Amino acid sequence: MKRSLGVCYYPEHWDEAVWAEDARRMAEAGIRWVRIGEFAWSRMEPAPGRFDWHWLDRAIATLGAAGLKVVLGTPTATPPIWMVEKHPDMLPVDRHGSPRKFGSRRHYDFSHAGYREECRRIVRLMAERYGRDPHVAAWQTDNEYACHDTVHSYSDAARAAFRDWLAQRYQSTDALNRAWGNVFWSMEVTDWSQVDLPNGTVTEPNPSLSLAFRRFASEMVVEFNRVQVEEIRRHSDAPILHNYMGRVTDFDHFAVGADLDAASWDSYPIGFLSDRIENEPERKQTFLRQGDPDNQAFHHDLYRAVGRGRWWVMEQQPGPVNWAPWNPAPLPGMVRLWTWEAFAHGAEVVSYFRWRQAPFAQEQMHAGLLRPDSEPAPGLLEAAEVAQELERMPEIDLAPAPVALVFDYESAWAWEVQPQGRDFDFWRLAFAAYRALRRAGLSVDILPPDAADLSAYKLVLAPGLMRLSDPLREALARYEGLALVGPRTDTKTEELAIRVPLGPDLPGLDARVTLAESLPPGAEVPLENGGRFLHWFEHLEGDAPVAWRTLDGRPAILGNGRVRYLAGWPDDATFDGIVRGLCAEAGIETLDLPDGLRVRDTARHRFVFNYAPEPLPWAGTILIPPAGVFWESR
Amino acid sequence: MKRSLGVCYYPEHWDEAVWAEDARRMAEAGIRWVRIGEFAWSRMEPAPGRFDWHWLDRAIATLGAAGLKVVLGTPTATPPIWMVEKHPDMLPVDRHGSPRKFGSRRHYDFSHAGYREECRRIVRLMAERYGRDPHVAAWQTDNEYACHDTVHSYSDAARAAFRDWLAQRYQSTDALNRAWGNVFWSMEVTDWSQVDLPNGTVTEPNPSLSLAFRRFASEMVVEFNRVQVEEIRRHSDAPILHNYMGRVTDFDHFAVGADLDAASWDSYPIGFLSDRIENEPERKQTFLRQGDPDNQAFHHDLYRAVGRGRWWVMEQQPGPVNWAPWNPAPLPGMVRLWTWEAFAHGAEVVSYFRWRQAPFAQEQMHAGLLRPDSEPAPGLLEAAEVAQELERMPEIDLAPAPVALVFDYESAWAWEVQPQGRDFDFWRLAFAAYRALRRAGLSVDILPPDAADLSAYKLVLAPGLMRLSDPLREALARYEGLALVGPRTDTKTEELAIRVPLGPDLPGLDARVTLAESLPPGAEVPLENGGRFLHWFEHLEGDAPVAWRTLDGRPAILGNGRVRYLAGWPDDATFDGIVRGLCAEAGIETLDLPDGLRVRDTARHRFVFNYAPEPLPWAGTILIPPAGVFWESR
Amino acid sequence: MKRSLGVCYYPEHWDEAVWAEDARRMAEAGIRWVRIGEFAWSRMEPAPGRFDWHWLDRAIATLGAAGLKVVLGTPTATPPIWMVEKHPDMLPVDRHGSPRKFGSRRHYDFSHAGYREECRRIVRLMAERYGRDPHVAAWQTDNEYACHDTVHSYSDAARAAFRDWLAQRYQSTDALNRAWGNVFWSMEVTDWSQVDLPNGTVTEPNPSLSLAFRRFASEMVVEFNRVQVEEIRRHSDAPILHNYMGRVTDFDHFAVGADLDAASWDSYPIGFLSDRIENEPERKQTFLRQGDPDNQAFHHDLYRAVGRGRWWVMEQQPGPVNWAPWNPAPLPGMVRLWTWEAFAHGAEVVSYFRWRQAPFAQEQMHAGLLRPDSEPAPGLLEAAEVAQELERMPEIDLAPAPVALVFDYESAWAWEVQPQGRDFDFWRLAFAAYRALRRAGLSVDILPPDAADLSAYKLVLAPGLMRLSDPLREALARYEGLALVGPRTDTKTEELAIRVPLGPDLPGLDARVTLAESLPPGAEVPLENGGRFLHWFEHLEGDAPVAWRTLDGRPAILGNGRVRYLAGWPDDATFDGIVRGLCAEAGIETLDLPDGLRVRDTARHRFVFNYAPEPLPWAGTILIPPAGVFWESR
Ligand SMILES: [Zn+2]
Ligand SMILES: [Zn+2]
Ligand SMILES: [Zn+2]
């Protein structure tokens, strides 16, 4: 498949006189796609029912005339002030009960029916007007669902909708009381109006309630998005996407993705390194201007799964951003590296955010491809270089990966509700497993929790799945490769109670978790051959053979057939040892890579990326410079 | 006295079919007591005025039939949702003014008159029904007063009750203005309605107001508890207890205890090490699976004082808990060690929390004596071992301790209101003194602040008592042993003003504190022979002889007669030197113990406990294993 | 000019019987000024409209009879409770929307019109009564504006006043939308009622709005103060002052100062070291009992500028305070040192806070010149020593400083709104520059941001001025000395947008900032000869010569004429090198001082202060003891 570049553009920010020149320069740089419209509601509908589409007509026409394909965004992430005046109760409410006010973005509650209908209305009008426009080649719904912690709202609207949802799910309060164990602490209810949202209790609320609220909130996002998809589909055949964010687990992306044609995400490697990745300070220092060497790849692979193979980078960091705790500039070459890495993982389009740095408002310190004075910023030159390389490059097609990692949003919620230890979560564990695979030079596919067929993979990792889906349990039973599950896997019921008989219930594996320990920083469980568990350790019982032991003789990995259960959270070196051992057993070739070098295999190429700030050797004879991208035929 | 074991049980959590088997297994394990009922209001009274006692009748009968004695808890810590609907203003309110909602426990304001009457009603009904039941051998009021920071509520109910309380105490606003120095910053009031709770002021409120609020809040707990005691006493002769928590100073336990027959507390050594004890990280690491080696003993001795000699452990940690920041499992043997240590300090009963781990709701990750699947958890085996040892053990009777430590809740409030330095409080100072005594191998009695007779002790420590009670002042005047008081002792009035003439006013000691300094971490006042003060240093003046000096020649300890005043907060080694010096002078034998070994003397035995994770030598020839308990005749 | 001492006194706190004796002892100690009245509203007007001036009459008469000159404070920082009952909406509201309650001080919103009129009323009455009193020789308005974060209030009163202020400033919402770039994120408004205060938005609000709110809030302080000045001036010729605090940037002190006759500030060297100065912990340790060696001087110089040459220390720390995180006592001699340092910087009066330590209420642990029992505290002896030295000292007149530093409150707001990196602000940068000058032994003048004449100085530093005023830009164009500006200087418009064409726009300097980076702790930009930038680095472009480069060849300082642009935030050693290089070029003599020694030149003397805890050598032959003050003729 031929991959291409895009850019995010805000015609409403600029004098109409420069649009044509901007479009010309985009095209000249090799850009093929331009995303517009997603924050422009106050310009489309300046007052309730009063519309102005003309400027947008002209913008699309101008961009199209330059040969650009338009991604048209729905503006529902930024309802105008008149909307809030019309629906004062549409504002999301924080966990302390304070409404979160107008004045920035995402100031709406996903469960507010009135606002949802307003969104249906504006999207219908856009779809009617632009659904058949030849320049509109794709759609984006809303913008970055969940950003700024907006999935969990404690509003009256949310409370009412949650009660309806519970009534639907449990049918009777008796059933709910039983399902949640409300007899504990006299929490039993006799009327739906007695169930409240899980904020503000004296001490922690019932974890089953907390999990139910997360499920509900996730479904509200799915429903909110579906309304827009329905309206667009009525009038347009162009693919519909949403731009997800990094390390967001507040809603089930697989469920939202099921309604869309492709996934996309907003990749800010340096911002994310700063504000959402756990790393020792020295390691953050090393990758300060490059970003974590695995975080982009992880999300590429995750969103490829969410998009069922089709995905984009909708926003690619092109220089320093404004929103992280600190905002250094990328190392020269990194914009190119990030772009190539996305393509190597299968991105159809990599679209930079944004064309010209806005000199005003919240993101004025966020770099663009152009400076505020319209001169080229460093990112533009690197983007143009990629465009030229793409021209010369044979098509990039994906190859099947030898290993898969299962990722499950519900498990993330379950860990969040019931961490049992302060400093870890499901995402971090899944990412730790992913990193170990990457350090071994492996290309990875990520699978949803209901994956029903594992046969394409020699090795499957499924750490931390608190509950196992029926399809996955059955797939594991049929599976002939090697699977590593645990810790915490299959130890809980759908309602987040402990499974009795004790889990896991895995095919051919007699093992159960009798007790779980969480460990503070500094504490560890040493293993018999030098490794160690951090954070978490489970006491296992069962007849399954012990594949690896703790130093004091307890099971660290149980099982010798096709399914192994991992009793703890290995540190990086231990995870490396585990992964390499499993690969050797499964017949998967691994690599010894210097830290910072990462590899990705496509159908015809092996790509090598140097995230390190110094040159690193590859294949004995080649020295890849910092931020260097190298590829060779396979 | 013959000591015995108990367990906490929740018949309402389990199918009635398993009750008898559970009871049988308890008895078989050597358990003699079973606590029930304390969270079951929604099952006793499912709707207002609609009662169901039958299940409880049957539960008591079933347990009693197995030979178990029942501790019946009042369910007032968990009012059902209909109660909150009936009294919406009964919810406690946090310092930001937000009500703390239904959905967990302790969701009531101690000063709410309506809820207090509801509690009287349910307790009366329980007492009427079970007061003469032969199986009900003890009562527990409510559960863990103060837990989850519920003593200080800023509700309308609290505000109104506080104003009444003030009017009663001060009789006129003029008197209140004078007592508090309200002329400062024009804070004078002319009507009781003008006095508000001490939350939300622009900068700190008047410390006299803050102290008055703490006094008021403590009295509300006393009154709340007294209502229940009154109702139970009318119908039952069984002893009444309450289960206190660890390191709680929000109410005066001596005052609550005065209405009860015995004290009890909930001992979670590993949880408390994690969430409420100051220790260097490495030290926490060392005792990660054992708990702080002095914290249990301190509370045992404190609650023995609160119970006027009679006390229990009502809840003993049996394995990992769920609520601390991290929750490791105890070292094998620790459940036995903790139990024996409690008996050595005089516990009549040690009762484990809980029988079977609940697979549902908030505490599902909290271990029990049984696993959720009813198999024995490690704690059960250790409990059974203790039960057998108890059988063989001659009776354990208490011996008088050579040293006493005075503990005063009002001083804790005064330090909290007026810490003058960020990282220290009264409890920490008292515990520092206690630890020094324990490191010297001493058994300790804790005394209330109004102790009127010290003659049983050769040495009394009374650090940090901001105000000296009249009885204690007189007792000190009569005292012929050695007393060490200070820092801060007797420097304040009842209203938390500075005493003028400057305090302390101690018998035969001409000394006054002219100035107090608080010191940040890292700062110290070096003493002349190698010791040092941290946190706090007072400039003393007076004719009393100087027993110890700072390196620059100022008094560090004043007084050479029977009362000494300590001018600062000694570090551990300095405290050791002080304690050993005083003991030598007072003719008290001290021991040199390796760190982790602790000693407790009873009438007939010397008990030695090894809290260290490695074996430690005792008496030259004996090696006590980790978690080991050793006893020898005295 | 002959300098003199003062003290703060609260006759309302003491029995009238001791006033005369207090006054006599003040005079005896050499004190000439006494400040009274500033918290006594509840005694002046115990009920609305009911006044009692007699006690104040007698207090003034008694103090005056002892030869003391009275500074009369207006009591508007502590409105009595009846005032709050009369104007419930006068309370300031925190950023979460909670009113900040009565019960301490500063519980008013600067923008509340009703309270402002109440202040006008009480001040008018005071001015009428005491305006011609021969003993009232100066006035103080209110007390410590901004203390306890009270400038930014989110009350209804503030919201309404802000909307009026915006309407006045922008005239139309269209203009406001354009000025702020509200098209971004559909934030456009069509009615003033749609503009809200910048708290509680989902993510950050528009920085232009945030800056406008800070401007508005600062003007409210100016207006609030002006009302009082107007009333006093009508009846009194005595100078009017306000007592500012340390490191407060929430309002424009130059603007408030323009209405006053002199500035004053409250100098708490040890408290401020503890709670508001960035220093490594070891350095804080070194200066624990002395205070930061530059912080007092900085504020002396700043407030000399604010007072247009006339300034006092209104409150001088005399011993330990009560309000810092930790409160150690000063090193013996420091009270004298601080006093002399203030005089050397031009203080007309240094007034100690307070005469006698109050044994009651919030500040009971705050030392005074007397102890609570009326005995002399250490500070009194040092004050008396200074008084005697002053007698013998020839007059102290100021000399022009060779270097100036520009300080700009608006830039502080702009940095606060848009830090772009978490741990730094404008004040910190300005202070870093000031410290470098002081380490070089230089006396410094501080200039306001609209300084129109720089000709008195050989060197001017203007770091971090986000916007350059027209007068300063013109002064720079005319300037013949050396000026160092940057980083961030002149890169923004008045509305906090990025300047296009890119700034700075400096005379004779072709340079522009194309990109800015913020750097986390540990990250640095190394410079070519060993120095380094921390926190901040700008990419510069332009034809101006490069005076200093980064290690990788980018401009670190641009310009070789009279104006240089600094591209980053130098660490201390680098700043030393830059300052010494510029001084050498400008013909300014610098000194090599041991750390802790500081120098200040007046017309006739060179003063040397030893802030170190050990003796330090001066001029080869002299050893200045800790806390020592040395002066020699120039
Ligand atoms: Zn969330
Ligand atoms: Zn509290
Ligand atoms: Zn502020």
Side-chain angles (χ1 to χ4, degrees), chain C residues 149-152 214 250 416:
Chain C
D149 194 20
T150 45
V151 167
H152 299 122
R214 279 165 175 73
D250 280 351
E416 188 183 328

Side-chain angles (χ1 to χ4, degrees), chain B residues 72-95:
Chain B
L72 186 56
T74 70
T76 51
T78 50
I81 181 67
W82 56 257
M83 179 72 76
V84 178
E85 291 177 329
K86 192 172 168 192
H87 303 284
D89 57 347
M90 67 172 275
L91 293 174
V93 170
D94 73 17
R95 57 184 309 110

Side-chain angles (χ1 to χ4, degrees), chain B residues 149 152 250 416:
Chain B
D149 194 19
H152 299 122
D250 280 352
E416 187 184 327

Side-chain angles (χ1 to χ4, degrees), chain A residues 7-9 22 25-26 354-357 368-370 380:
Chain A
V7 75
C8 302
Y9 187 57
D22 280 340
R25 291 176 75 186
M26 290 174 197
R354 51 188 279 162
W355 175 242
R356 183 188 294 105
Q357 182 174 353
L369 294 182
L370 299 190
L380 181 62

